[in-house]
Amino acid sequence: MGAQLNLVEQNLHLVAVSSRQMLFHIPSSSLFELDGLTAQLIERLRHRPQQTAEQLIGELSAQYPADQIAETLQELVALELVSDGSPLTPEIALKKITEFPLNTLVLNVNTGCNLSCSYCYKEDLDKPSEGKKMQFDTAKQSIEMLIAESPHESRYNIVFFGGEPLSNLRLIKDVVAYCEARFAELGKPVDFTMTTNATLLTEDIADWLNEHRFGLSVSMDGPKAIHDKNRITVGGQGTYDVVSRKAKMLLSRFRSRPIGARVTLTKGVTDVRQIWDHLFNELGFSEVGFAPVTSGDISYYNLSDDELVEVFRNMKLLGEEYLAAALEHRSIGFSNMHQLITDLHEGNKKALPCGAGVALLAVDHEGGLNLCHRFTGSGLDTFGDVHTGIDKERLGGFLEQRLDRSDTGCESCRIRNLCSGGCYHESYARFEDPTQPVYHYCDLMRDWVDFGIEVYSRIMAENPAFIDSYISPRRAH
């Protein structure tokens, strides 16, 4: 008698899409459409484990040829969806992190900001007059450190952040000039990215940003009543009128790359579709992305559990519009759905929540190396500085804690390779421990991914050209 076979439940998830049954192969983040034989084998092993191949062939031989059943079982064993008793391949074989292939640096060019958004997470935020500006020598050393640490990367990205980065425009212009010359010497392309509140934009600035092909994201929370609720001046005045005016000017002049709007959802704000409609259809942003606040330092601004459920319900309703548009070969610029579709299409598998600490580090105004832009000025220790380089031992040790999924609940979760425990800063804000996964909306995230699988499967079945037109090109920006 052959080896007893068992279903490896933690490696597969089934999602019904219309009349089809899709299998999400969790270790590789890949999708397969089940044929009748595979579906029957999974069903039988799910309800009656420890059967042998011979037993399964005997049960199904009236419907399928024996060699087809045996071959399908071999494929399922190879994919580690069915176990024959052999040890399973560890999903995260890397236990020690010693390499840090940096390709992205976030420069925190000024701690000062001319706004006083009530929900801001930045711990080093200052009033405009008290802002601590990064000096050019620090920025230059940051670039040289990036090149020295990662000389073999094919492309580099410099992100300008704040505070409000445009409040240190002189430095940004100097850094861009230096980078364009320095990376040209190396024969390497460099991209520039910036998130701005848009209030300091002028036509000349917009044209300069366009000339240097900046990737731009404008922080804007929606129509006037919603935006002015939290995005206010230092004096407490709403900023919608000026931001919308500047955004329209920017959108009318900027042609080199699509411009996105970044929306922060706070307590009492759940109408995702209304916000998207205003920013996409009325103002003309190319994409709109939503970031729910669930664990900020000021609990008043956190979405309640019921509100978070409503946010995800509304995101799925907008996702249905996204699908309908995609089947008509149109994009409605819903960034959250774009990203999920991208992850599923490319089979993205994340051992860690994001590139922070591995491909990305943030430099504070003094030159300290932070896990990401959210941590500059925080109580989390820095991981070296731009003069002495990365403290690789400390940084590797920190990341290794998050690689270890044992006893976290993540080890068998079906979205473990898409979520990887969630944002470090969210963990830090919630638990004062960035290595601890966040759990407060796991069920909502699992449901969101199931919905994404359905949307992606429909697109691939009914209009796969949408992916080539609207998903793949996003990687080029």
Side-chain angles (χ1 to χ4, degrees):
M1 185 66 70
Q4 292 183 331
L5 303 178
N6 291 284
L7 203 60
V8 186
E9 291 282 3
Q10 72 266 26
N11 282 354
L12 66 93
H13 177 58
L14 302 181
V15 179
V17 180
S18 301
S19 59
R20 297 175 297 145
Q21 194 166 34
M22 306 301 296
L23 183 148
F24 182 46
H25 184 248
I26 295 166
S28 66
S29 296
S30 301
L31 272 175
F32 303 92
E33 183 175 352
L34 287 187
D35 58 29
L37 171 57
T38 307
Q40 284 204 53
L41 289 170
I42 289 174
E43 186 70 14
R44 286 170 185 268
L45 286 171
R46 175 164 283 164
H47 291 99
R48 282 194 290 135
Q50 298 185 340
Q51 294 190 72
T52 64
E54 290 80 2
Q55 288 173 320
L56 289 164
I57 289 170
E59 291 180 9
L60 294 170
S61 58
Q63 296 174 260
Y64 303 97
D67 58 347
Q68 184 183 354
I69 301 171
E71 183 179 343
T72 302
L73 282 170
Q74 288 174 359
E75 290 173 354
L76 291 173
V77 170
L79 288 168
E80 298 193 339
L81 298 174
V82 170
S83 169
D84 60 3
S86 303
L88 297 176
T89 304
E91 278 185 34
I92 303 176
L94 186 67
K95 298 299 182 185
K96 188 88 176 157
I97 297 180
T98 56
E99 299 296 323
F100 302 87
L102 276 182
N103 55 41
T104 300
L105 272 189
V106 183
L107 302 182
N108 197 62
V109 299
N110 190 0
T111 62
C113 187
N114 59 327
L115 299 192
S116 184
C117 302
S118 52
Y119 52 61
C120 187
Y121 57 80
K122 295 287 286 180
E123 295 181 44
D124 58 349
L125 197 70
D126 290 316
K127 295 178 181 179
S129 60
E130 299 172 6
K132 302 174 187 67
K133 293 184 177 182
M134 178 179 287
Q135 300 302 306
F136 179 70
D137 285 347
T138 302
K140 178 182 175 181
Q141 190 59 46
S142 301
I143 305 305
E144 292 304 320
M145 182 211 68
L146 172 65
I147 294 169
E149 292 284 357
S150 305
H152 304 300
E153 292 297 303
S154 61
R155 192 176 199 99
Y156 299 87
N157 186 28
I158 306 301
V159 183
F160 299 102
F161 211 82
E164 170 48 43
L166 287 177
S167 62
N168 196 359
L169 181 61
R170 181 67 266 160
L171 174 71
I172 294 174
K173 288 188 172 184
D174 289 345
V175 171
V176 168
Y178 182 79
C179 285
E180 289 179 338
R182 187 71 175 90
F183 285 101
E185 290 175 5
L186 301 172
K188 300 289 184 76
V190 59
D191 297 312
F192 305 108
T193 306
M194 182 167 63
T195 299
T196 175
N197 63 34
T199 57
L200 301 179
L201 282 171
T202 65
E203 291 183 351
D204 286 345
I205 293 173
D207 293 344
W208 182 83
L209 295 169
N210 185 59
E211 178 185 349
H212 295 278
R213 291 185 49 79
F214 266 66
L216 293 177
S217 180
V218 176
S219 298
M220 196 169 184
D221 287 352
K224 183 176 175 66
I226 295 175
H227 180 93
D228 283 351
K229 181 178 178 183
N230 294 309
R231 299 196 64 81
I232 55 179
T233 65
V234 174
Q237 301 300 308
T239 61
Y240 175 84
D241 291 339
V242 65
V243 172
S244 61
R245 185 175 73 253
K246 296 294 184 77
K248 289 175 184 176
M249 178 274 292
L250 178 67
L251 290 164
S252 71
R253 303 176 74 89
F254 195 96
R255 291 288 176 266
S256 58
R257 295 171 68 176
I259 298 176
R262 185 192 183 281
V263 178
T264 302
L265 299 173
T266 53
K267 185 178 182 66
V269 181
T270 61
D271 195 343
V272 168
R273 193 198 178 284
Q274 178 196 7
I275 295 169
W276 162 82
D277 182 56
H278 179 71
L279 296 174
F280 183 77
N281 289 322
E282 295 179 22
L283 292 187
F285 284 100
S286 296
E287 289 193 16
V288 181
F290 297 87
V293 173
T294 62
S295 59
D297 292 334
I298 307 173
S299 60
Y300 173 78
Y301 299 105
N302 295 343
L303 291 156
S304 68
D305 290 345
D306 287 344
E307 286 174 331
L308 200 54
V309 169
E310 185 68 9
V311 165
F312 274 88
R313 187 184 75 83
N314 288 331
M315 285 178 62
K316 287 171 67 175
L317 289 174
L318 185 55
E320 290 172 2
E321 292 190 40
Y322 179 100
L323 173 60
L327 298 183
E328 296 175 356
H329 208 71
R330 294 183 295 108
S331 170
I332 66 167
F334 181 17
S335 291
N336 304 69
M337 183 57 72
H338 269 332
Q339 187 57 55
L340 181 52
I341 296 296
T342 300
D343 288 339
L344 294 171
H345 182 66
E346 297 182 353
N348 290 337
K349 174 188 172 183
K350 298 191 299 187
L352 293 165
C354 63
V358 182
L360 175 151
L361 286 171
V363 184
D364 59 40
H365 71 280
E366 295 178 322
L369 297 176
N370 300 261
L371 191 62
C372 77
H373 58 283
R374 289 175 173 262
F375 285 99
T376 58
S378 74
L380 186 70
D381 289 342
T382 53
F383 297 94
D385 60 60
V386 298
H387 305 289
T388 60
I390 303 170
D391 185 342
K392 295 182 178 180
E393 185 174 354
R394 258 200 81 240
L395 182 56
F398 170 84
L399 295 169
E400 286 155 20
Q401 293 180 71
R402 201 58 180 265
L403 278 179
D404 184 4
R405 293 173 174 172
S406 56
D407 302 320
T408 63
C410 299
E411 195 169 16
S412 60
C413 176
R414 66 178 185 258
I415 63 169
R416 59 186 179 269
N417 293 327
L418 294 174
C419 165
S420 299
C423 170
Y424 296 113
H425 190 265
E426 193 165 357
S427 297
Y428 177 74
R430 198 172 184 88
F431 307 117
E432 298 184 358
D433 179 4
T435 67
Q436 180 176 332
V438 291
Y439 303 114
H440 55 296
Y441 55 97
C442 294
D443 288 341
L444 292 171
M445 282 299 298
R446 282 189 281 265
D447 183 61
W448 172 245
V449 171
D450 281 1
F451 177 72
I453 289 172
E454 180 178 352
V455 169
Y456 174 67
S457 300
R458 289 276 311 275
I459 291 171
M460 288 301 292
E462 300 174 47
N463 184 26
F466 176 84
I467 302 295
D468 296 330
S469 296
Y470 295 104
I471 299 298
S472 300
R474 297 176 80 240
R475 286 298 195 212
H477 294 305

